[in-house]
Amino acid sequence: MGGQLDEVRHGIMDTLGRITSFWGFSKIMGQLYGMLYLSAAPMTLDDMAASLEISKGNVSINIRALERWNMVRQVWVKGDRKDFYEAETDFWKIIRGVLKEREKKEFDQALAGIGRIRTKSEEILKKEKSVDTAFALDRLKKLEDFIKTMDQLVGVLLTLEDLKRNFLGIVKKK
Amino acid sequence: MGGQLDEVRHGIMDTLGRITSFWGFSKIMGQLYGMLYLSAAPMTLDDMAASLEISKGNVSINIRALERWNMVRQVWVKGDRKDFYEAETDFWKIIRGVLKEREKKEFDQALAGIGRIRTKSEEILKKEKSVDTAFALDRLKKLEDFIKTMDQLVGVLLTLEDLKRNFLGIVKKK
DNA sequence: CTGTTCGTTTAGAATTTTCTAAACAAACTA
DNA sequence: TAGTTTGTTTAGAAAATTCTAAACGAACAG
């Protein structure tokens, strides 16, 4: 059956594996997602393990990661005791989630880090006059400004998306 | 000397190490960059190796990576035979470069990959009618559209930046 | 020439990450 | 109850990455 279609499935798994790997997730996450994304029916852990030829334990941890990022959701199939999974198909939603939970957090803590360092070097400069410290402080300020801008940019993006989403929600609420 | 300032240097190296690591570069690249960024004077391979307590070979390959991404440049110091390095301080320029050479390329090849797969599945569907293939094809089209949008988005960003840069260039050309 | 001083390359060590097979625990079935 | 069928956890194997020390070659100095 479907030997032709299998080529297609293999292709998408390869491409999505690359993408997730590039963006700092595991390659297998992408492969699992791709597999579910092209599947008309939800799949079980065993299905996926067999299809990717990896251990069930490996599927288990990677599918839980996908769930954590809302890229996949568990669905219940009547009469079957296994867990079934299907792909979340709203890419914008996925991206917004990742932006919110991962990227924003990273920017925030980078900002906090630089802030601490800048404060520190301001204190030093107050006590002892030093050309080197003055130079470093100047650069630190510039770096902090930059990161602050990036942080705000992400923040605005997320807020805009939230507003849009809420607005649409209200409108659709018949 | 400067035991206080060293704390600051250590801090920035830590923070920038995190950042580069997060964005898929090596941690040491961030540490080297941070070190040069806060240094008033350009530094040599040996300086950096000593300061980070890593081998000179390690510094060599990582500084070359930084050079490749235009995050650092080599400067010549009169009377000294060693290579000196200093940090590029224009962050926007750095980001644009990375966007252009790494992110754009990644989007392009993801797009090409999906395109190939979609074509393939269209061919299959022409020959043999299959519900599964039709389903997969539908999803592939949606994925392709999405990636195309992202790809164009990056493209527009880069074009805008180029225009802005050229415009400013003309203006400044007194 | 002969020495030295550089930066780069490389072989293998050290570390980190990823994966599997087996053990396990929870939930069902008969 | 005893025996399956599940998904998860885990100890250690396997693989990939990163790092170092030493070898090397080029450029220079005496």
Side-chain angles (χ1 to χ4, degrees), chain A residues 1-55:
Chain A
M1 60 158 275
Q4 292 271 50
L5 189 50
D6 279 352
E7 259 187 77
V8 170
R9 295 216 168 91
H10 184 276
I12 192 104
M13 272 153 39
D14 179 51
T15 299
L16 292 191
R18 269 177 217 283
I19 294 177
T20 49
S21 184
F22 181 76
W23 290 100
F25 298 93
S26 93
K27 188 163 76 177
I28 288 188
M29 277 174 72
Q31 295 175 332
L32 287 172
Y33 180 82
M35 154 168 288
L36 291 173
Y37 183 73
L38 289 197
S39 168
M43 301 178 77
T44 69
L45 288 192
D46 291 299
D47 293 340
M48 297 186 265
S51 180
L52 281 181
E53 298 183 32
I54 57 177
S55 74

Side-chain angles (χ1 to χ4, degrees), chain B residues 119-174:
Chain B
T119 306
K120 176 88 194 170
S121 75
E122 274 169 347
E123 281 168 15
I124 297 174
L125 198 58
K126 228 181 293 178
K127 277 182 274 184
E128 42 168 312
K129 207 76 185 172
S130 146
V131 175
D132 282 349
T133 308
F135 180 87
L137 178 56
D138 181 59
R139 293 230 157 154
L140 278 173
K141 280 181 186 165
K142 285 185 179 127
L143 178 56
E144 190 178 18
D145 280 348
F146 178 75
I147 296 183
K148 203 174 279 178
T149 302
M150 305 282 344
D151 187 61
Q152 285 167 347
L153 193 67
V154 176
V156 168
L157 278 181
L158 286 173
T159 307
L160 282 180
E161 269 302 325
D162 272 345
L163 285 175
K164 184 174 151 198
R165 186 160 168 260
N166 290 334
F167 177 68
L168 287 177
I170 290 165
V171 169
K172 276 187 186 169
K173 215 189 284 176
K174 72 168 163 342

